[in-house]
Amino acid sequence: MDQPVGRISQLRLYPIRPPWSLGSGWAAVCSGLAVGGLDLSPETLLKLLLAWLLVDPILGAVWDSGVGSNGGRPRRQRGIYRRLLDPRLPATAPALQLLPYTRVGSPGHRLAHHLGRLRRWWQDTLWPEAGHAFATMVAGLGLALLLGAVLGRTILALVLISVTLSWLAALSQQKDLSKGAPQRSISGQGMATLWHALGEFGIPWLIGATLLGSPSRMLILLGICYTITYFGLIRYTEDFKLIGSGQAAAALLLAGLRHPLAAGAIAISLMPQWGLRLWATDHDQQPPSQYDHIAATGTYLRYVQPFVILSMLLAVLALA
């Protein structure tokens, strides 16, 4: 028999991807290193840890639970935002009596019936199917706002922008599902990927830099370059060239800032990435019976990300 007294909830933190996967945590840490430099004092390490906690597990929980997909590729299970946008209310349900003596057909009567359908949908559909995801999203949102308020008004504003971008990503996916296939591949998925790239990489980049100091113009431009790379990694099947283009722009930026060693090292790191791209493209052009397309793209993404992270680290250390 389980112990009847004790904690009422449990918080678990476990990895869902390898540590060399490019994402929000790497964006915040790298931009923080660029501002804080190599002065790894306890205060700097604490700020880097807080930045990582805010953008990766906390805001990541809001994005995963709320949006429920990545880069416009919907999962089989819808996110909380899409469930709220399209609640699929039951046809009939007992009215929720808020105001007594409302006449049939009056606005109050229609509101009571609509709220009753919402209550039935919440009790029978949303909570049984996605109650844990909803609780996770609410808890993550509360923690993100609280930590953002503690860290400063600018961090809080960036947190609110990230949450807004998650809503925009969900709206883009919702519009995408209501269109035909040709339109979906161009508008809906592209906009959803853009909001994902900005919310999961661009905003964390600014959070890390702001928490450690003040982001310079060059650091912001560098963040734009690697946000483009992250955009290409999400939509690798449509925007393959953006993965290398963003890093090449970063190398040119560093060369213009008179950091030739860092620019040359980034250019060299592009060579194995180019080889991986040729390998994936070559296998992708073969008949499906000879090679699995999913395995080819998965292998490419798994091996190209360490080179992207190395390129990003070289760039931010040069600025530091």
Side-chain angles (χ1 to χ4, degrees), residues 265-290:
I266 293 175
I268 293 175
S269 70
L270 287 173
M271 297 177 63
Q273 298 181 51
W274 181 260
L276 286 170
R277 175 191 173 186
L278 294 178
W279 173 84
T281 305
D282 180 65
H283 284 287
D284 191 35
Q285 293 175 352
Q286 296 181 11
S289 58
Q290 297 182 13

Side-chain angles (χ1 to χ4, degrees), residues 6-10:
R7 295 174 289 111
I8 62 175
S9 61
Q10 186 180 55

Side-chain angles (χ1 to χ4, degrees), residues 7-264:
R7 295 174 289 111
I8 62 175
S9 61
Q10 186 180 55
L11 178 63
R12 295 182 178 180
L13 185 64
Y14 56 91
I16 59 175
R17 292 182 181 88
W20 53 85
S21 298
L22 188 65
S24 305
W26 278 109
V29 170
C30 287
S31 63
L33 288 175
V35 174
L38 300 178
D39 180 21
L40 299 181
S41 61
E43 181 182 359
T44 301
L45 293 177
L46 178 59
K47 288 183 178 181
L48 289 176
L49 178 61
L50 289 176
W52 177 81
L53 286 174
L54 176 60
V55 303
D56 197 303
I58 298 179
L59 281 177
V62 176
W63 274 85
D64 291 343
S65 302
V67 183
S69 64
N70 191 11
R73 298 188 296 275
R75 294 174 183 172
R76 186 169 297 180
Q77 184 177 2
R78 299 189 305 163
I80 298 299
Y81 291 159
R82 286 175 54 198
R83 289 177 180 271
L84 295 177
L85 291 170
D86 184 19
R88 300 179 182 178
L89 302 180
T92 58
L96 184 63
Q97 298 297 336
L98 294 177
L99 300 175
Y101 309 111
T102 54
R103 293 187 300 176
V104 177
S106 64
H109 184 266
R110 292 195 298 269
L111 177 61
H113 276 275
H114 182 71
L115 292 177
R117 294 169 61 198
L118 280 174
R119 181 178 60 179
R120 174 65 62 85
W121 166 74
W122 174 276
Q123 295 175 347
D124 297 346
T125 303
L126 179 63
W127 190 255
E129 294 180 359
H132 291 292
F134 183 84
T136 300
M137 186 194 70
V138 172
L141 181 59
L143 286 175
L145 294 176
L146 178 61
L147 186 56
V150 171
L151 295 178
R153 290 180 295 178
T154 305
I155 302 295
L156 179 60
L158 292 173
V159 169
L160 292 174
I161 293 175
S162 177
V163 175
T164 303
L165 291 173
S166 67
W167 265 103
L168 291 175
L171 286 173
S172 299
Q173 293 176 13
Q174 188 69 20
K175 294 178 181 179
D176 184 26
L177 295 176
S178 63
K179 296 180 179 180
Q183 294 175 325
R184 287 167 56 183
S185 61
I186 297 175
S187 60
Q189 292 186 13
M191 292 305 299
T193 307
L194 176 61
W195 305 137
H196 271 276
L198 292 176
E200 294 179 343
F201 196 91
I203 297 300
W205 183 277
L206 292 177
I207 288 177
T210 303
L211 189 58
L212 269 295
S214 178
S216 63
R217 183 181 303 176
M218 293 299 104
L219 184 59
I220 293 176
L221 292 176
L222 193 64
I224 293 175
C225 294
Y226 284 99
T227 302
I228 294 173
T229 299
Y230 187 78
F231 182 92
L233 284 171
I234 299 177
R235 282 173 58 88
Y236 53 88
T237 55
E238 291 88 358
D239 300 298
F240 220 171
K241 297 180 180 179
L242 291 179
I243 300 174
S245 300
Q247 298 175 79
L252 292 176
L253 179 63
L254 290 175
L257 294 176
R258 298 182 180 180
H259 294 292
L261 293 179

